[in-house]
Amino acid sequence: MCSRLACLRGETRESSPSCLTAAASNEKGPPRCVLVGMDGSENAEDAFNWYLKDIFKPGDRVVVVFCPDLIHGLVEQMTYPCRDTFTASVVEARDRAESIQIALRDKLDRAGVKGSIHMTVATNPGQVLVQEAEREDACMIVIGCRGRGTIRRTVLGSVSAYVLHHSHVPVMVYPSLRTSQSL
Amino acid sequence: MADSETKTAEHQRQVLIAMDESHHSDDAFDYYMKHVHRPDDHVVILYVPEYHNVIQSPMVMTDVAVVSDMMHEETERIKGVVSRLSKKLKNIGGSVKSIGGNPGEVIVKTSKDIGAAVIILGSRGMGTIRRTLLGSVSDYVMHHSHIPVLVCKHPDVHKHHGHKGSDPDHKH
């Protein structure tokens, strides 16, 4: 298993329909690609789960674009930088990203969904999502509305705002539980 | 899990599609039918008519009869829109609602009233104010919705604003 953070592509596998737990609809439409944005946040995972439950159609090819949100763990340390702590944090972040990637692969397999996972570290994850959606000819981008940032000034995170403005294809934004609870 | 015999009314989704007279709305509806629609869906098309012409007319302060006529005209026009939108629901379970007010607020409130599972919007074209790539209405709904929102972007939007975009014959 490659342990470097790089643009990785997971295997593309097709599981038999009998283990399908994802969809309530049996309708198989024309093959389509759906792009799911992941950053490791709970909100993103909820968005993905919702896609599997409510939008997925048999035959869908899912491309999960995983941009691990590393900044928030590392930036906090910059107040009093210490090399050892920093290095440990980087390793921890990397390990966390890997385990998330494994979990994503597992989720796809269990649901019987054909798909791949692209992991990239990017300064502008929104741009990566939009570009990948074009490259993969996705019919839809599925994203949460905010990431793991602890400073919650806005309802809509910077990545979802970027994607909504720049995407050429329809965007499905899943609300954060926190927002809905406060309503 | 996929057994259709066990489906009950409880599993029926309420789908809210906010529409106006623009082609963006028609595109959003078509996209919903192609990519999101499930046989049990109950579709509610929400039309939020705007009475700007009437309310903001200078005649309001002068001739009541003229304003009353304008109101009548608007009402007839809205009936026409509702009728056209109703035709889209032929063969699909659903209804058309026409509710006046601030479009964003009406959409969010209606979504709560009907217990919608998802809100479907075009990205532009709601009303006559077209300032941004992401319309003011979709912006409002995005910020206030507690359920998923599908914003149907249209390739034309980017062409119009001079983006280097995908080909005009975008497949979707």
Short mmCIF file of all heavy atoms in Angstrom, two decimals, chain B residues 68-109:
data_model
loop_
_atom_site.label_atom_id
_atom_site.label_comp_id
_atom_site.label_asym_id
_atom_site.label_seq_id
_atom_site.Cartn_x
_atom_site.Cartn_y
_atom_site.Cartn_z
N SER B 68 -55.82 47.99 -10.76
CA SER B 68 -56.68 46.82 -10.64
C SER B 68 -56.66 45.98 -11.91
O SER B 68 -56.62 44.75 -11.87
CB SER B 68 -58.10 47.29 -10.31
OG SER B 68 -58.98 46.21 -10.34
N ASP B 69 -56.67 46.65 -13.06
CA ASP B 69 -56.58 45.95 -14.34
C ASP B 69 -55.26 45.23 -14.49
O ASP B 69 -55.20 44.09 -14.94
CB ASP B 69 -56.73 46.93 -15.51
CG ASP B 69 -58.18 47.34 -15.70
OD1 ASP B 69 -59.06 46.66 -15.13
OD2 ASP B 69 -58.42 48.33 -16.42
N MET B 70 -54.20 45.93 -14.09
CA MET B 70 -52.87 45.32 -14.18
C MET B 70 -52.82 44.06 -13.32
O MET B 70 -52.25 43.04 -13.70
CB MET B 70 -51.80 46.30 -13.71
CG MET B 70 -51.47 47.39 -14.71
SD MET B 70 -50.41 48.67 -14.00
CE MET B 70 -48.86 47.82 -13.93
N MET B 71 -53.43 44.18 -12.15
CA MET B 71 -53.46 43.04 -11.22
C MET B 71 -54.18 41.86 -11.87
O MET B 71 -53.73 40.72 -11.79
CB MET B 71 -54.20 43.48 -9.95
CG MET B 71 -54.24 42.46 -8.86
SD MET B 71 -52.64 42.33 -8.05
CE MET B 71 -52.93 40.90 -7.07
N HIS B 72 -55.28 42.16 -12.48
CA HIS B 72 -56.07 41.12 -13.15
C HIS B 72 -55.25 40.46 -14.26
O HIS B 72 -55.25 39.23 -14.40
CB HIS B 72 -57.36 41.72 -13.70
CG HIS B 72 -58.20 40.72 -14.43
ND1 HIS B 72 -58.94 39.75 -13.77
CD2 HIS B 72 -58.40 40.51 -15.75
CE1 HIS B 72 -59.56 39.00 -14.66
NE2 HIS B 72 -59.26 39.43 -15.87
N GLU B 73 -54.56 41.30 -15.03
CA GLU B 73 -53.72 40.79 -16.12
C GLU B 73 -52.66 39.85 -15.59
O GLU B 73 -52.41 38.78 -16.14
CB GLU B 73 -53.00 41.96 -16.80
CG GLU B 73 -53.50 42.29 -18.19
CD GLU B 73 -52.72 43.46 -18.77
OE1 GLU B 73 -51.50 43.33 -18.93
OE2 GLU B 73 -53.37 44.49 -19.03
N GLU B 74 -52.00 40.30 -14.52
CA GLU B 74 -50.96 39.47 -13.90
C GLU B 74 -51.53 38.14 -13.44
O GLU B 74 -50.94 37.09 -13.65
CB GLU B 74 -50.36 40.19 -12.68
CG GLU B 74 -49.23 41.14 -12.99
CD GLU B 74 -48.02 40.45 -13.57
OE1 GLU B 74 -47.35 39.72 -12.83
OE2 GLU B 74 -47.76 40.62 -14.77
N THR B 75 -52.68 38.21 -12.81
CA THR B 75 -53.32 36.99 -12.30
C THR B 75 -53.61 36.02 -13.44
O THR B 75 -53.40 34.81 -13.30
CB THR B 75 -54.63 37.32 -11.56
OG1 THR B 75 -54.39 38.39 -10.65
CG2 THR B 75 -55.15 36.12 -10.79
N GLU B 76 -54.07 36.55 -14.56
CA GLU B 76 -54.34 35.69 -15.72
C GLU B 76 -53.06 35.08 -16.25
O GLU B 76 -53.00 33.90 -16.61
CB GLU B 76 -55.02 36.50 -16.84
CG GLU B 76 -56.45 36.91 -16.52
CD GLU B 76 -57.34 35.72 -16.21
OE1 GLU B 76 -57.41 34.77 -17.02
OE2 GLU B 76 -57.95 35.72 -15.12
N ARG B 77 -52.02 35.92 -16.27
CA ARG B 77 -50.73 35.44 -16.78
C ARG B 77 -50.21 34.31 -15.88
O ARG B 77 -49.72 33.29 -16.36
CB ARG B 77 -49.73 36.60 -16.82
CG ARG B 77 -48.42 36.25 -17.54
CD ARG B 77 -47.46 37.43 -17.51
NE ARG B 77 -47.06 37.75 -16.14
CZ ARG B 77 -46.14 37.10 -15.46
NH1 ARG B 77 -45.52 36.08 -16.02
NH2 ARG B 77 -45.86 37.46 -14.24
N ILE B 78 -50.36 34.52 -14.58
CA ILE B 78 -49.89 33.51 -13.63
C ILE B 78 -50.66 32.21 -13.80
O ILE B 78 -50.09 31.12 -13.72
CB ILE B 78 -49.98 34.05 -12.19
CG1 ILE B 78 -48.89 35.09 -11.98
CG2 ILE B 78 -49.83 32.94 -11.17
CD1 ILE B 78 -49.15 36.04 -10.84
N LYS B 79 -51.95 32.33 -14.05
CA LYS B 79 -52.76 31.12 -14.28
C LYS B 79 -52.20 30.35 -15.47
O LYS B 79 -52.16 29.11 -15.47
CB LYS B 79 -54.21 31.50 -14.58
CG LYS B 79 -55.07 31.72 -13.38
CD LYS B 79 -56.55 31.80 -13.77
CE LYS B 79 -57.34 32.52 -12.67
NZ LYS B 79 -58.58 33.09 -13.17
N GLY B 80 -51.81 31.09 -16.50
CA GLY B 80 -51.23 30.47 -17.69
C GLY B 80 -49.96 29.71 -17.36
O GLY B 80 -49.72 28.59 -17.83
N VAL B 81 -49.12 30.34 -16.53
CA VAL B 81 -47.85 29.70 -16.14
C VAL B 81 -48.13 28.42 -15.36
O VAL B 81 -47.53 27.38 -15.62
CB VAL B 81 -46.98 30.66 -15.30
CG1 VAL B 81 -45.77 29.94 -14.74
CG2 VAL B 81 -46.54 31.85 -16.13
N VAL B 82 -49.05 28.53 -14.39
CA VAL B 82 -49.38 27.37 -13.57
C VAL B 82 -49.91 26.23 -14.44
O VAL B 82 -49.58 25.06 -14.23
CB VAL B 82 -50.41 27.75 -12.48
CG1 VAL B 82 -50.95 26.51 -11.78
CG2 VAL B 82 -49.77 28.67 -11.45
N SER B 83 -50.72 26.59 -15.43
CA SER B 83 -51.28 25.58 -16.33
C SER B 83 -50.17 24.89 -17.12
O SER B 83 -50.15 23.66 -17.27
CB SER B 83 -52.27 26.27 -17.27
OG SER B 83 -52.65 25.39 -18.29
N ARG B 84 -49.24 25.68 -17.61
CA ARG B 84 -48.12 25.10 -18.37
C ARG B 84 -47.29 24.18 -17.49
O ARG B 84 -46.86 23.10 -17.90
CB ARG B 84 -47.26 26.23 -18.95
CG ARG B 84 -46.11 25.72 -19.82
CD ARG B 84 -45.35 26.86 -20.45
NE ARG B 84 -44.39 27.47 -19.55
CZ ARG B 84 -43.18 26.97 -19.29
NH1 ARG B 84 -42.80 25.84 -19.85
NH2 ARG B 84 -42.38 27.60 -18.45
N LEU B 85 -47.04 24.63 -16.27
CA LEU B 85 -46.23 23.82 -15.36
C LEU B 85 -46.96 22.53 -14.98
O LEU B 85 -46.34 21.47 -14.84
CB LEU B 85 -45.88 24.62 -14.09
CG LEU B 85 -44.95 25.82 -14.31
CD1 LEU B 85 -44.80 26.62 -13.01
CD2 LEU B 85 -43.59 25.39 -14.81
N SER B 86 -48.29 22.62 -14.86
CA SER B 86 -49.06 21.42 -14.51
C SER B 86 -48.92 20.34 -15.56
O SER B 86 -48.90 19.15 -15.24
CB SER B 86 -50.55 21.76 -14.37
OG SER B 86 -50.73 22.74 -13.40
N LYS B 87 -48.81 20.78 -16.82
CA LYS B 87 -48.71 19.80 -17.90
C LYS B 87 -47.45 18.94 -17.76
O LYS B 87 -47.42 17.79 -18.18
CB LYS B 87 -48.68 20.50 -19.26
CG LYS B 87 -49.98 21.20 -19.62
CD LYS B 87 -50.10 21.45 -21.11
CE LYS B 87 -51.43 22.02 -21.48
NZ LYS B 87 -51.53 23.48 -21.29
N LYS B 88 -46.42 19.53 -17.16
CA LYS B 88 -45.18 18.77 -16.97
C LYS B 88 -45.38 17.58 -16.04
O LYS B 88 -44.63 16.61 -16.08
CB LYS B 88 -44.09 19.67 -16.39
CG LYS B 88 -43.52 20.66 -17.36
CD LYS B 88 -42.39 21.43 -16.71
CE LYS B 88 -41.75 22.41 -17.64
NZ LYS B 88 -41.07 21.80 -18.77
N LEU B 89 -46.40 17.69 -15.19
CA LEU B 89 -46.59 16.65 -14.19
C LEU B 89 -47.50 15.53 -14.67
O LEU B 89 -47.85 14.63 -13.90
CB LEU B 89 -47.17 17.25 -12.91
CG LEU B 89 -46.24 18.21 -12.18
CD1 LEU B 89 -46.94 18.80 -10.96
CD2 LEU B 89 -44.96 17.50 -11.75
N LYS B 90 -47.87 15.61 -15.94
CA LYS B 90 -48.66 14.51 -16.51
C LYS B 90 -47.89 13.22 -16.35
O LYS B 90 -46.71 13.16 -16.63
CB LYS B 90 -48.88 14.80 -18.01
CG LYS B 90 -50.12 14.19 -18.59
CD LYS B 90 -50.42 14.73 -19.98
CE LYS B 90 -49.23 14.54 -20.92
NZ LYS B 90 -49.63 14.80 -22.34
N ASN B 91 -48.52 12.18 -15.89
CA ASN B 91 -47.89 10.88 -15.68
C ASN B 91 -46.95 10.82 -14.48
O ASN B 91 -46.36 9.78 -14.21
CB ASN B 91 -47.10 10.40 -16.92
CG ASN B 91 -47.95 10.39 -18.16
OD1 ASN B 91 -49.14 10.10 -18.09
ND2 ASN B 91 -47.36 10.72 -19.28
N ILE B 92 -46.78 11.93 -13.81
CA ILE B 92 -45.96 11.90 -12.58
C ILE B 92 -46.86 12.34 -11.44
O ILE B 92 -47.65 13.25 -11.60
CB ILE B 92 -44.80 12.90 -12.65
CG1 ILE B 92 -44.06 12.81 -13.97
CG2 ILE B 92 -43.82 12.70 -11.51
CD1 ILE B 92 -43.22 14.04 -14.23
N GLY B 93 -46.73 11.76 -10.32
CA GLY B 93 -47.52 12.20 -9.18
C GLY B 93 -47.03 13.55 -8.71
O GLY B 93 -45.84 13.73 -8.46
N GLY B 94 -47.93 14.52 -8.62
CA GLY B 94 -47.44 15.80 -8.14
C GLY B 94 -48.47 16.90 -8.20
O GLY B 94 -49.63 16.70 -8.56
N SER B 95 -48.02 18.10 -7.86
CA SER B 95 -48.91 19.25 -7.90
C SER B 95 -48.10 20.51 -8.13
O SER B 95 -46.87 20.53 -7.97
CB SER B 95 -49.68 19.37 -6.58
OG SER B 95 -48.78 19.52 -5.51
N VAL B 96 -48.81 21.57 -8.52
CA VAL B 96 -48.15 22.86 -8.72
C VAL B 96 -48.67 23.82 -7.66
O VAL B 96 -49.87 23.91 -7.42
CB VAL B 96 -48.48 23.43 -10.11
CG1 VAL B 96 -47.82 24.80 -10.28
CG2 VAL B 96 -48.02 22.49 -11.20
N LYS B 97 -47.74 24.48 -7.01
CA LYS B 97 -48.15 25.50 -6.03
C LYS B 97 -47.69 26.85 -6.53
O LYS B 97 -46.59 27.00 -7.03
CB LYS B 97 -47.46 25.23 -4.68
CG LYS B 97 -48.03 24.10 -3.88
CD LYS B 97 -47.37 24.07 -2.48
CE LYS B 97 -47.60 22.78 -1.75
NZ LYS B 97 -49.01 22.63 -1.32
N SER B 98 -48.55 27.83 -6.39
CA SER B 98 -48.17 29.19 -6.72
C SER B 98 -48.30 30.01 -5.45
O SER B 98 -49.40 30.21 -4.94
CB SER B 98 -49.08 29.73 -7.82
OG SER B 98 -48.84 31.10 -8.01
N ILE B 99 -47.19 30.46 -4.93
CA ILE B 99 -47.20 31.18 -3.65
C ILE B 99 -46.40 32.46 -3.80
O ILE B 99 -45.23 32.43 -4.19
CB ILE B 99 -46.59 30.32 -2.52
CG1 ILE B 99 -47.32 28.99 -2.42
CG2 ILE B 99 -46.64 31.07 -1.19
CD1 ILE B 99 -46.69 28.01 -1.44
N GLY B 100 -47.04 33.57 -3.51
CA GLY B 100 -46.36 34.85 -3.66
C GLY B 100 -45.43 35.15 -2.50
O GLY B 100 -45.55 34.59 -1.42
N GLY B 101 -44.50 36.03 -2.76
CA GLY B 101 -43.58 36.43 -1.70
C GLY B 101 -42.16 36.50 -2.18
O GLY B 101 -41.89 36.46 -3.38
N ASN B 102 -41.25 36.59 -1.25
CA ASN B 102 -39.84 36.59 -1.58
C ASN B 102 -39.43 35.17 -1.99
O ASN B 102 -39.54 34.25 -1.18
CB ASN B 102 -39.07 37.04 -0.33
CG ASN B 102 -37.60 37.17 -0.59
OD1 ASN B 102 -36.91 36.17 -0.81
ND2 ASN B 102 -37.11 38.38 -0.56
N PRO B 103 -38.98 35.00 -3.23
CA PRO B 103 -38.77 33.63 -3.74
C PRO B 103 -37.94 32.72 -2.84
O PRO B 103 -38.35 31.60 -2.54
CB PRO B 103 -38.05 33.86 -5.08
CG PRO B 103 -38.48 35.21 -5.52
CD PRO B 103 -38.65 36.01 -4.26
N GLY B 104 -36.80 33.22 -2.37
CA GLY B 104 -35.94 32.38 -1.53
C GLY B 104 -36.67 31.92 -0.28
O GLY B 104 -36.67 30.74 0.08
N GLU B 105 -37.30 32.88 0.39
CA GLU B 105 -38.01 32.55 1.64
C GLU B 105 -39.14 31.58 1.40
O GLU B 105 -39.37 30.66 2.18
CB GLU B 105 -38.55 33.84 2.26
CG GLU B 105 -37.45 34.74 2.82
CD GLU B 105 -38.00 36.09 3.29
OE1 GLU B 105 -39.22 36.20 3.49
OE2 GLU B 105 -37.18 37.01 3.44
N VAL B 106 -39.89 31.83 0.31
CA VAL B 106 -41.04 30.96 0.00
C VAL B 106 -40.57 29.54 -0.27
O VAL B 106 -41.18 28.57 0.18
CB VAL B 106 -41.84 31.50 -1.20
CG1 VAL B 106 -42.90 30.50 -1.63
CG2 VAL B 106 -42.49 32.83 -0.85
N ILE B 107 -39.47 29.42 -1.00
CA ILE B 107 -38.95 28.08 -1.33
C ILE B 107 -38.57 27.33 -0.08
O ILE B 107 -38.94 26.16 0.12
CB ILE B 107 -37.75 28.18 -2.29
CG1 ILE B 107 -38.20 28.69 -3.66
CG2 ILE B 107 -37.05 26.83 -2.44
CD1 ILE B 107 -37.06 29.10 -4.57
N VAL B 108 -37.83 28.00 0.81
CA VAL B 108 -37.37 27.32 2.02
C VAL B 108 -38.55 26.96 2.92
O VAL B 108 -38.65 25.85 3.45
CB VAL B 108 -36.35 28.20 2.78
CG1 VAL B 108 -36.01 27.59 4.13
CG2 VAL B 108 -35.08 28.37 1.96
N LYS B 109 -39.47 27.89 3.06
CA LYS B 109 -40.64 27.63 3.91
C LYS B 109 -41.48 26.48 3.35
O LYS B 109 -41.89 25.58 4.08
CB LYS B 109 -41.50 28.89 4.04
CG LYS B 109 -42.72 28.64 4.94
CD LYS B 109 -43.52 29.89 5.22
CE LYS B 109 -44.60 29.61 6.26
NZ LYS B 109 -45.55 28.54 5.85
#
